[in-house]
Amino acid sequence: MKFDAPATNNPIDQLKVVGKPLDRVDGPLKVTGTAAYAHDRYDSIPNQAYGYVLGSAIAKGKIKPMNVSAAKAAAGVLGVVTAENAGKLGKGDYNTAKLLGGPEVDHYHQAIAIVVAETFEQARAAAQLIQVEYTKADGSYDLHAAMATAIRPEKIFGGEADSSAGDFDKGFAAAPIKFDATYETPDQAHAMMEPHATIAAWHGDTLTLWTSNQMIDWSTGDIAKTLGIPKEKVRLSSPFIGGGFGGKLWIRADALMAALGARATGRPVKVALARPFMFNNTVHRPATVQRIRIGATQQGKITAIGHESWSGDLPGGGPEVAVMQTRLLYAGENRMTAMRLAVLDLPEANAMRAPGEAPGMMALEIAMDEMAEKLGLDPVEFRIMNDTQVDPENPSRPFSMRTFAECFKTGAEKFGWNNRNAKPATRRDGRWLLGMGVAAAFRNNLLMKSAARVRLDSRGTVTVETDMTDIGTGSYTIIAQTAAEMMGVTLDKVAVRLGDSTLPVSAGSGGQWGGACSTAGVYAACVKLREEVARALGLNHPDATFVDGELRVGNRRIPLAQAAAKKELVGEDQIEYSDVDKKYQQSTFGSHFVEVGVDAATGEVRIRRMLAVCSAGRILNPKTARSQVIGAMTMGVGAALMEELAVDKRAGFFVNHDLASYEVPVHADIPHQEVIFLDEVDPLATPMKAKGVGELGICGVAAAVANAIYNATGVRVRNYPITLDKYIKGLPEVA
Amino acid sequence: MKPFTYQRVRSPAEAVAAFGRNKNAKFIAGGTNLLDLMKLQIEAPSHLIDVNGLALDKIEMTPDGGLRIGALVRNTDLAAHPRVRRDYAVLARALLAGASGQLRNRATTAGNLLQRTRCPYFYDTNQPCNKRQPGSGCAAIGGFSRQLAVIGSSQACIATHPSDMAVALRVLDAVVETVKTGGVTRQINIRDFYRLPGDTPHIETNLADGELITAVVLPRPVEGKHGYRKVRDRASYAFALVSVASIISRDGSGKVALGGVAHMPWRNETAEAQLPKGAKAVAENLLSDAKPTEHNAFKITLAERALASAISEAKG
């Protein structure tokens, strides 16, 4: 199905199942521990052996030949694979660093060997017996030092490295009120609960991977390319994912090393990356340095806006696209954005939790707060004043819909924003300094092709099959809702199979495109199945409706199951898009409101209230959507207050590589969270009239927290995370 | 993890004797720290002596009105004990400020005292660490040191002791009871229990090899308001940047010890005498020899402010 015109009235608009706050269909499996995650798939294949991956002890250099004889001779060991005996390996399209290092080492904890043994403990013990001698080379580990040699990157996800409109330099110079500040965001880790894990088995020249992966088709292609085998010879299965956050958009060392270990030993091999390995072996969100300049009239109309960002990655990598939102978020005729990329020999930088906008908004939305203060304007008012209904770099291109101002008006009223005192450090509750902060939320809505197959059997059961993944987001549920709505059946009549490369290729889970695009694919397949049903029943009529498990035309009612009484019916299709996202800018919008208490003596921050107002088209399931948004808000709190990979700039690695030292929020850090979804549909998005919402929830939260801390303390911190050491000296004397 | 042998023992004497017969043995109780360290190859004992069956899990009154806490009393049980809550609130609060509910259910009194540092370089076997591998050097010096010691550190080690409970025990003037080979028992004041790193940071306490902690004895309760102020980057489940254990009387005098600043709970009686003059006077004296790094210099300011807050709360 080609989506090339605004969606008109369609069966989804009935909203009998779609749009309802239904429980997750996979909830019982999750809460009873019976959802089988990759490492739990003991039933997938018998005789599983265990692999333990050894990582490089240096960040850059060379390995002299390794001595693996002691490891090979250790109890229970079935085999050891290193670059020396792995055979020729290619590299996938989606990873920058090789997944198996040696003799060259590209980053700390890069995999350099796998030991396969009968038990996990034997494999781990034997891995310690591998003797590795290194020749260290000098590396570049300090973003600030590397900035001077940063270049304009060619390879960018989602556009060009630079953009401009009008004449920024002139416009900024001429602006009566100018603001210019530089912000920093740190390296961050996905730190998902489930580490990367894979069971690999070869059957002849065919490889099966039971793994944990967000993008089945990308990853099937990449493992094939890395191993030099045809894509058709790889099957990948990932029905449940225990958190991905972008870290599982691709295959990582667990998958490749398990495949190599299995090939070498002739046994199925199970590999999970050990927790301390997760931080330096896999990918992370890179640190940024961002300079933001805003010029405005005395009244607060933006006339010039500039955003530059520097980040680093291994050679061949890409930048953090932190300026993207600044191209679209606020009006102003003179504009510039630029991204520069330095070479860093730290572990590979890549996508994490709303790449681009998450760190970009962390900087931009503090800058907007600072500029509002400089102008003497309320920060809500300042943002509404500079709203735009068109792409400000290309004013002939409108937004498909944009209710940005509405998000702020609704949020301000609901949150009691008028109780905020614009003068910082003026409100107090006992030992707590109180402050309120606000920020915009913004994330683009990306359209990705997505296919599905829908079957109807003689019992009237509808089965949806697509390689879409559920990364804890609720894909199973909203896909089931979509099929139920389209086929006129109740939710219990729908079965959903996901996450398998033998199924039609979906949009996958990433960039908040999964929900809206995969359900649109299911919609398309259901349209086909409806035609099949009508044909089978000889009721091909434009007024046919699918209601209560029946096909109805006029007075005729025929049970759906009857259509498939003799033969299962199948509808398969994919959603594709014409140039709808070229003609119209598709984005999602929101506002974040936060109230904090800051301990006047110690500077500890306790968030008191949070509110997000989201504009993201139709909300397919307000319950799962809310769960996503409050989870994202929690990640925003982490980014604001604690998340930072500490770089050892001498040895070139992230020092705090476990969950005790890489802190993410705990329950006690998160107060009551409120989420409001504006009641709207976007017919230009997909037939579902829905857009992505998961990552919208994270974009801007950290800045709202930062702005609230400033409002509480009067101390402005421009480098994240905003830990108490950065402002304690500015706190009032302790009585 | 290296292969190891394992045995259960039924009495302290048996435990100590078993230690004497095995090279490179370790006692294990809750295992909340030791097992993690073994998995990471930081601790590699060849023999584990499980002391959980020693029946040292009682809390009893002492003849002079104090409490004897068995070495195996779990942190959860200790924090919930009515006498501890009533008379030694600083201890209950310190315990509850540490770890998580699940860990406290397992962790024991003796094990808490003996937990190893959380210095990230200690945890990475690719990095030099004099505590883990004597003589290899200290990667933390000149490295990421935000969490690490500001005082009492050495050229060999800038690690901190992570226990909250130990800081409370320090202001309570607790006494550690032990048994050694041959059944010799002794009492060690908590003041003399821990060591500064010096050039032997791998030796963290004054326990002899194979000496087993059997109990911790608290003297009779002292007057004053008890508090434990733990400052950290998140609200729970994190080690202290700085913590303050305090018992402060109405007249402003009292006892204070700091956690998160040194290789041991940090207290000094001269500084403490300044309490009636306020936090600044105490902190200046208590931390006068501080040698912070650029990453953790804030701890000096934070300690003084946390102390001021503790004093003001006690008075309030």
Side-chain angles (χ1 to χ4, degrees), chain B residues 4-12 14-22 24-29 34 45 47-52 54 210 212:
Chain B
F4 58 90
T5 50
Y6 168 88
Q7 87 181 100
R8 287 191 181 126
V9 290
R10 291 288 159 208
S11 72
E14 202 191 326
V16 176
F19 199 100
R21 281 194 304 273
N22 289 281
N24 195 18
K26 281 264 174 196
F27 297 122
I28 183 164
L34 181 60
H47 185 65
L48 283 187
I49 303 163
D50 186 330
V51 296
N52 282 298
L54 296 195
L212 178 75

Side-chain angles (χ1 to χ4, degrees), chain B residues 121-140:
Chain B
Y121 294 95
F122 175 73
Y123 268 76
D124 188 332
T125 50
N126 293 326
Q127 306 304 320
C129 171
N130 289 319
K131 193 182 269 301
R132 178 168 27 78
Q133 203 181 343
S136 61
C138 173

Side-chain angles (χ1 to χ4, degrees), chain A residues 187-487:
Chain A
D187 295 287
Q188 295 177 332
H190 301 79
M192 69 292 267
M193 189 79 85
E194 180 204 30
H196 293 267
T198 299
I199 301 167
W202 292 85
H203 185 78
D205 58 356
T206 304
L207 172 67
T208 302
L209 297 175
W210 294 270
T211 188
S212 181
N213 191 282
Q214 300 175 229
M215 295 294 291
I216 303 299
D217 189 56
W218 289 5
S219 297
T220 309
D222 259 11
I223 191 83
K225 197 167 176 188
T226 308
L227 290 165
I229 59 175
K231 192 176 170 189
E232 307 77 58
K233 295 288 184 186
V234 177
R235 183 189 156 212
L236 204 141
S237 166
S238 178
F240 296 104
I241 294 112
F245 311 142
K248 294 173 182 165
L249 288 167
W250 22 69
I251 55 155
R252 294 302 308 169
D254 58 312
L256 178 64
M257 300 308 280
L260 294 175
R263 191 159 69 180
T265 60
R267 290 273 296 273
V269 172
K270 174 188 280 195
V271 173
L273 299 186
R275 183 65 66 184
F277 209 58
M278 288 289 295
F279 297 80
N280 287 283
N281 173 266
T282 72
V283 302
H284 68 284
R285 189 207 299 286
T288 66
V289 175
Q290 302 180 47
R291 183 187 187 196
I292 294 176
R293 284 174 288 174
I294 306 172
T297 63
Q298 297 281 3
Q299 293 73 36
K301 197 175 164 314
I302 294 174
T303 53
I305 186 161
H307 191 164
E308 296 154 89
S309 175
W310 290 261
S311 62
D313 198 0
L314 289 163
E320 180 69 29
V321 293
V323 307
M324 290 306 195
Q325 72 288 320
T326 309
R327 296 175 180 176
L328 293 161
L329 193 47
Y330 296 113
E333 61 268 33
N334 301 300
R335 322 176 65 87
M336 69 82 66
T337 68
M339 290 177 275
R340 294 294 176 265
L341 178 63
V343 168
L344 288 179
D345 298 300
L346 292 169
E348 177 177 332
N350 223 318
M352 174 179 142
R353 308 181 194 159
E357 277 102 326
M361 294 292 278
M362 285 166 80
L364 178 64
E365 290 300 290
I366 297 186
M368 288 296 286
D369 200 65
E370 296 202 64
M371 185 62 171
E373 188 179 39
K374 200 165 182 177
L375 289 159
L377 285 174
D378 183 279
V380 167
E381 191 191 338
F382 179 48
R383 286 179 175 91
I384 292 174
M385 230 169 133
N386 290 286
D387 190 12
T388 170
Q389 288 299 315
V390 296
D391 173 353
E393 284 186 355
N394 183 3
S396 64
R397 190 167 165 262
F399 283 91
S400 64
M401 71 176 301
R402 177 164 163 140
T403 48
F404 181 65
E406 191 55 37
C407 293
F408 278 95
K409 287 174 192 159
T410 303
E413 191 192 322
K414 188 84 186 167
F415 199 71
W417 180 251
N418 56 8
N419 293 325
R420 170 182 177 265
N421 189 338
K423 190 164 183 272
T426 48
R427 286 178 63 219
R428 197 161 173 151
D429 172 15
R431 71 184 228 215
W432 299 97
L433 308 172
L434 301 187
M436 284 158 83
V438 68
F442 177 88
R443 177 84 173 145
N444 279 334
N445 184 56
L446 301 176
L447 298 179
M448 306 283 273
K449 283 195 290 195
S450 196
R453 184 163 55 224
V454 188
R455 303 172 185 277
L456 175 68
D457 70 15
S458 57
R459 287 164 305 162
T461 300
V462 175
T463 302
V464 185
E465 298 174 330
T466 165
D467 83 353
M468 178 60 188
T469 48
D470 188 324
I471 57 174
T473 40
S475 308
Y476 279 105
T477 311
I478 56 172
I479 284 173
Q481 287 175 269
T482 303
E485 195 79 77
M486 288 299 290
M487 302 311 298

Side-chain angles (χ1 to χ4, degrees), chain B residues 9 47 53 56 69 75 82 114 120 131 180 183 241 256 271-272 276 281 302:
Chain B
V9 290
H47 185 65
L56 299 172
I69 302 159
N75 289 177
L114 295 176
K131 193 182 269 301
K180 281 197 271 198
L241 296 168
V256 289
E272 213 163 76
L302 180 59

Side-chain angles (χ1 to χ4, degrees), chain B residues 163-210:
Chain B
S163 171
D164 293 298
M165 185 192 79
V167 187
L169 293 180
R170 183 71 179 91
V171 287
L172 290 168
D173 295 309
V175 171
V176 180
E177 294 188 341
T178 69
V179 58
K180 281 197 271 198
T181 326
V184 181
T185 61
R186 65 166 172 155
Q187 295 200 318
I188 310 167
N189 190 296
I190 188 79
R191 180 188 59 226
D192 308 318
F193 183 78
Y194 290 111
R195 297 164 58 100
L196 287 179
D199 48 18
T200 54
H202 58 293
I203 308 173
E204 292 165 356
T205 69
N206 285 315
L207 292 175
D209 220 22

